[in-house]
Amino acid sequence: MTAVTYLEAISQAIREEMRRDESVFLLGEDVATYGGAFKVSAGFLEEFGPERVIDTPMSETAIIGSAVGAALMGMRPIAEMQYIDFITCGFDQIVNMACKMYWRSGIPLPLVIRGPAGGGTHGGPFHSASPEAWFFHTPGIKVVMPATTYDAKGLLKAAIRDNNPVLYLEHKLLYRLPELREELPSEDYIVPLGKAIIRRHGRHMTMLTYGAMVHQCLKAAEQLASEDGLAVEVVDLRSLTPLDRQTIKESVMRTNKVLIVHEDTLTGGVGAELAALLAEELFDYLDGPIMRVAAPDAPYPYAPPLEMAYLPGVERIVAVARQLAAY
Amino acid sequence: MNEAERADLLLQIYYYMRLTRAMEDRTRTLFLQGRIVGGVYTAQGHEATTVGAAMTLRDGDCIVPQHRDLGMHLVRGVSPRAVMCQWLARGNAPTLGRDGQLHIGDMHHGVVPMISMLGESLPVACGVALVMKMRRRSTVVLASCGDGATSTGAFHEALNFAAVQRLPVVFLIENNGYAYSTPNAKQFAIEQLAQRAGAYGMPGESVDGNDVLAVMEAVGRAVAHARGGRGPTLVECRTFRVRGHSEADKADYVPPALREEWLARDPIKRFEDYLTAQGLLSAERRREIEARVRAVVDDAVAFAEASPPPDPATVADYVFAPDGPIAIVGEPGAADPRYVNALDTRTGRPFCTMSQVEEAVTQL
């Protein structure tokens, strides 16, 4: 058995689900002949043929709309956004067509929309998006963001088998990261949607995070342990919708302090909702303010010094964690 | 088709045109009486287009209708009771009161629910047709939109994708002259919308949308083209919206002479004259049909009025579908209740959009 990358795990998940279930198919820009802009679907065309791996015109509304139509027919389409930034071109199909379908009509819509999200790759303002908050806010769609190779595969399989629209946000910085290479189980497995995981146990504070920021938080936690003697608990949410409120609350009830970290911008971000939830439900347990580390309220920049200043990193996380610990 | 069968067919068409008009007339009355709380959109003058187009379909085909397509719904078997429950926002309406108007559907009977963003249903129609193509079926999708929706990006993306993939879709434009208050001249700069077909590499045809037999002929050709695996067609039906955009719109921006001109071309009157001249519609036959139409409408209204409002306690329910197997619609055994999409899992009962399962509506 060989260790695979986060990207290979995604590829394996789609390939295995397409082998297992003939209703699963993939459509998007450059996904067939070219194998996808990041080569997630390399070799798929040869194995599954052009009817199950469909190169589409440059038309996100047609891609997502067709996926909706196929899902209405009981298929399980996977619609790829070449970069998740382009999801805005198909926004109406998601928030008005897909998200309200079961609620209005009783017709389930088993549909996955996936694509590379996140920054750190010098992609600039149109190839670095973290769009989760828009969809986190919208009833009727599940939102998942895997941080590890194991989860990348297991969450995607669970998303494909789910009977609802699922937005699966893969972080492109993690695609080929050597330290994320992992040997995966040879047997079929899923990671259920709506279950967070504690990546590191600790009693002094909880870091709530997801996606690529999980790794930044783990590095920060390590530094805080060795330099400050702080035991930081790192909770990887994995799914934003459904949100694992129980794991979040149990952790904060143990540590009494919480730092929320996400790559998306601060205002109205997922962290704002987490903070509100904790303030409402765990007020008596909190021994300090609920604090957040996020990107500034500005569009994503291109030049490396700007990008470095924009992205939350270990240094900022450590600095804010120390403020919180001093309370 | 022998002569008697043809006569029956023509009278059936006439019945559906009359039923469509009568349902909408009654809907307007309910609105004016304050019994319908939201917007009401009707389609007087569209009956030849909506009924004629839908008459060309068979079992297994699918419609992707818009807000003025009651005629299409009725021909395909949508229940007048379900329609009235929608208008009156009842708890047993197909959307359980969550949505109104003709925003209803049932995939097992080939009706895709629309949304208010017109044009957005066309890419969805492509997805349905894509599955028909994948499953090697000889079924087709009839997807409609108005002249206004032809200005959307979704219209362009859908027609282009359908043409590239040679999908079995008939795109039907109901060009009724106005998108709300905006006339054709401010909406597009070509003479006929059917000309757009050439840009997508598909056949296009423009037809008198107030002549039901002409509509059936043109759409029938397009349906045969799609059924034969030769891809999509764009059919423009030229008609007119003789009333307002909604019943709250007086439409005083429409020149009176223009409206008069189109009122004189009323599709039902025209077809009636044709049937009479052919000796197919006696005064007695006509009275029979009128009585039948009235009975259906009365029953639908009475049923809806006696139906319960939705339970406020359910307001946050049904956001997500439950787990379980999903059938591919149209495959053998797809109606097996073990499939999550076989029944309406919100209620645990059959979908109540179609006439065939009206008893499901009654039981709720």
Side-chain angles (χ1 to χ4, degrees):
Chain A
M1 203 160 47
T2 53
V4 300
T5 62
Y6 178 96
L7 181 135
E8 285 161 346
I10 292 167
S11 181
Q12 280 185 8
I14 303 172
R15 189 191 292 269
E16 288 174 20
E17 290 303 293
M18 286 180 72
R19 285 177 182 165
R20 192 185 61 80
D21 182 349
E22 61 164 359
S23 69
V24 180
F25 70 100
L26 178 69
L27 76 169
E29 294 154 15
D30 309 296
V31 298
T33 305
Y34 191 62
F38 290 88
K39 301 295 175 191
V40 166
S41 49
F44 280 37
L45 179 63
E46 292 72 17
E47 179 170 354
F48 300 108
E51 287 199 343
R52 295 184 67 200
V53 189
I54 302 171
D55 272 334
T56 67
M58 205 173 78
S59 303
E60 281 76 14
T61 293
I63 294 167
I64 300 171
S66 294
V68 169
L72 283 171
M73 292 290 279
M75 302 290 280
R76 294 186 179 274
I78 302 169
E80 177 173 305
M81 299 287 101
Q82 190 158 80
Y83 281 83
I84 208 66
D85 307 65
F86 309 156
I87 201 168
T88 50
C89 304
F91 198 66
D92 198 27
Q93 285 293 336
I94 303 172
V95 302
N96 279 313
M97 191 68 79
C99 289
K100 298 172 185 175
M101 187 61 79
Y102 177 74
W103 172 83
R104 293 191 312 144
S105 71
I107 307 170
L109 213 62
L111 151 71
V112 173
I113 301 165
R114 49 158 285 273
T121 59
H122 316 307
F126 309 109
H127 291 75
S128 308
S130 294
E132 64 270 20
W134 293 332
F135 302 99
F136 177 64
H137 176 71
T138 304
I141 188 165
K142 299 184 179 182
V143 183
V144 298
M145 294 188 79
T148 68
T149 298
Y150 181 90
D151 282 3
K153 184 169 180 179
L155 281 171
L156 184 48
K157 285 194 163 207
I160 293 168
R161 295 177 197 183
D162 198 273
N163 287 342
N164 294 283
V166 182
L167 178 62
Y168 176 92
L169 299 171
E170 45 210 58
H171 202 295
K172 64 174 101 56
L173 190 64
L174 308 183
Y175 269 163
R176 294 184 174 87
L177 214 59
E179 54 265 42
L180 256 60
R181 276 187 176 274
E182 208 177 324
E183 281 191 12
L184 297 180
S186 52
E187 67 275 12
D188 182 50
Y189 74 94
I190 63 156
V191 173
L193 307 186
K195 294 277 180 220
I197 188 169
I198 299 174
R199 296 285 179 200
R200 179 188 174 109
H201 290 270
R203 60 193 166 83
H204 293 127
M205 85 172 52
T206 296
M207 288 184 184
L208 296 178
T209 189
Y210 55 88
M213 283 297 132
V214 168
H215 304 289
Q216 301 295 312
C217 287
L218 287 170
K219 282 179 197 157
E222 190 59 43
Q223 191 181 332
L224 290 161
S226 62
E227 294 177 12
D228 303 64
L230 283 171
V232 173
E233 182 146 304
V234 177
V235 177
D236 173 2
L237 298 176
R238 302 202 283 197
S239 294
L240 301 178
T241 309
L243 187 65
D244 185 352
R245 289 160 183 257
Q246 192 183 343
T247 299
I248 293 169
K249 290 195 314 196
E250 281 171 3
S251 173
V252 174
M253 285 162 77
R254 281 193 304 271
T255 63
N256 310 111
K257 287 184 178 175
V258 58
L259 172 60
I260 301 161
V261 180
H262 58 59
E263 186 179 320
D264 189 15
T265 51
L266 183 77
T267 301
V270 169
E273 177 58 32
L274 294 173
L277 167 77
L278 295 169
E280 277 172 359
E281 298 191 17
L282 295 183
F283 187 74
D284 290 338
Y285 287 88
L286 294 170
D287 289 345
I290 300 164
M291 299 188 80
R292 289 178 291 166
V293 171
D297 290 326
Y300 196 101
Y302 172 55
L306 296 175
E307 187 174 31
M308 287 293 287
Y310 186 85
L311 277 173
V314 175
E315 203 178 318
R316 265 170 68 199
I317 297 168
V318 166
V320 176
R322 281 178 177 151
Q323 279 179 42
L324 179 58
Y327 251 86
Chain B
M1 199 184 310
N2 66 33
E3 228 164 273
E5 284 167 347
R6 181 175 149 80
D8 280 352
L9 174 70
L10 292 174
L11 288 177
Q12 204 184 2
I13 294 166
Y14 178 68
Y15 164 74
Y16 279 118
M17 291 172 77
R18 291 294 303 260
L19 179 61
T20 304
R21 177 79 53 96
M23 284 285 286
E24 294 197 333
D25 286 347
R26 190 68 68 89
T27 305
R28 178 178 313 116
T29 303
L30 291 169
F31 173 74
L32 294 172
Q33 290 170 335
R35 290 196 276 176
I36 295 175
V37 294
V40 168
Y41 308 91
T42 57
Q44 185 181 327
H46 284 237
E47 295 89 349
T49 293
T50 58
V51 171
M55 287 301 293
T56 64
L57 301 180
R58 297 182 196 154
D59 279 359
D61 293 340
C62 188
I63 56 169
V64 184
Q66 299 293 287
H67 57 307
R68 298 194 204 281
D69 290 335
L70 177 63
M72 233 179 249
H73 280 92
L74 294 173
V75 169
R76 297 304 290 161
V78 165
S79 155
R81 287 179 168 191
V83 170
M84 282 301 172
C85 285
Q86 274 290 113
W87 286 120
L88 292 171
R90 300 297 153 160
N92 56 353
T95 63
L96 311 183
R98 273 140 178 76
D99 197 356
Q101 300 142 14
L102 293 179
H103 296 191
I104 55 178
D106 173 350
M107 291 310 295
H108 291 281
H109 295 91
V111 182
V112 171
M114 68 166 289
I115 63 172
S116 294
M117 293 70 190
L118 303 172
E120 292 287 354
S121 286
L122 302 176
V124 177
C126 291
V128 174
L130 194 61
V131 177
M132 291 173 173
K133 187 183 149 197
M134 284 174 177
R135 310 300 298 182
R136 307 279 181 270
R137 295 185 190 158
S138 60
T139 52
V140 304
V141 178
L142 173 67
S144 70
C145 72
D147 43 292
T150 66
S151 302
T152 66
F155 174 89
H156 166 70
E157 290 194 19
L159 268 72
N160 184 56
F161 186 53
V164 168
Q165 287 283 335
R166 289 172 78 87
L167 298 178
V169 190
V170 176
F171 293 103
L172 185 84
I173 303 173
E174 295 169 44
N175 182 356
N176 65 11
Y178 283 82
Y180 207 142
S181 75
T182 305
N184 279 179
K186 287 185 183 175
Q187 197 72 241
F188 50 87
I190 48 177
E191 235 167 79
Q192 292 190 332
L193 284 166
Q195 288 170 258
R196 296 230 162 130
Y200 299 109
M202 67 173 79
E205 191 169 350
S206 186
V207 67
D208 180 350
N210 282 25
D211 179 343
V212 70
L213 297 180
V215 170
M216 277 180 72
E217 229 179 277
V219 176
R221 266 194 298 277
V223 164
H225 186 81
R227 231 187 263 298
R230 282 169 289 156
T233 301
L234 181 63
V235 180
E236 175 191 14
C237 293
R238 298 185 313 274
T239 181
F240 198 76
R241 201 194 69 207
V242 295
R243 301 191 56 81
H245 166 65
S246 74
E247 289 304 318
D249 171 25
K250 291 192 189 73
D252 45 15
Y253 44 81
V254 176
L258 182 61
R259 182 185 282 122
E260 288 309 315
E261 188 187 312
W262 280 93
L263 278 169
R265 292 186 223 166
D266 180 77
I268 295 181
K269 177 74 175 52
R270 265 171 78 175
F271 193 44
E272 218 167 66
D273 290 347
Y274 169 83
L275 293 173
T276 310
Q278 297 277 308
L280 297 171
L281 187 67
S282 61
E284 193 194 342
R285 203 63 195 269
R286 189 175 146 166
R287 276 195 300 276
E288 270 171 33
I289 289 173
E290 283 169 352
R292 198 172 137 214
V293 163
R294 200 175 311 114
V296 169
V297 177
D298 286 348
D299 169 77
V301 174
F303 179 84
E305 298 231 284
S307 293
D311 178 358
T314 67
V315 68
D317 291 351
Y318 320 131
V319 174
F320 288 111
D323 292 337
I326 284 188
I328 297 177
V329 172
E331 300 292 300
D336 187 319
R338 77 188 177 92
Y339 292 116
V340 172
N341 57 346
L343 294 177
D344 185 341
T345 44
R346 298 171 304 172
T347 60
R349 298 177 186 282
F351 289 98
C352 62
T353 301
M354 312 304 289
S355 291
Q356 295 94 307
V357 285
E358 247 162 26
E359 64 275 18
V361 188
T362 326
Q363 282 166 8
L364 254 174

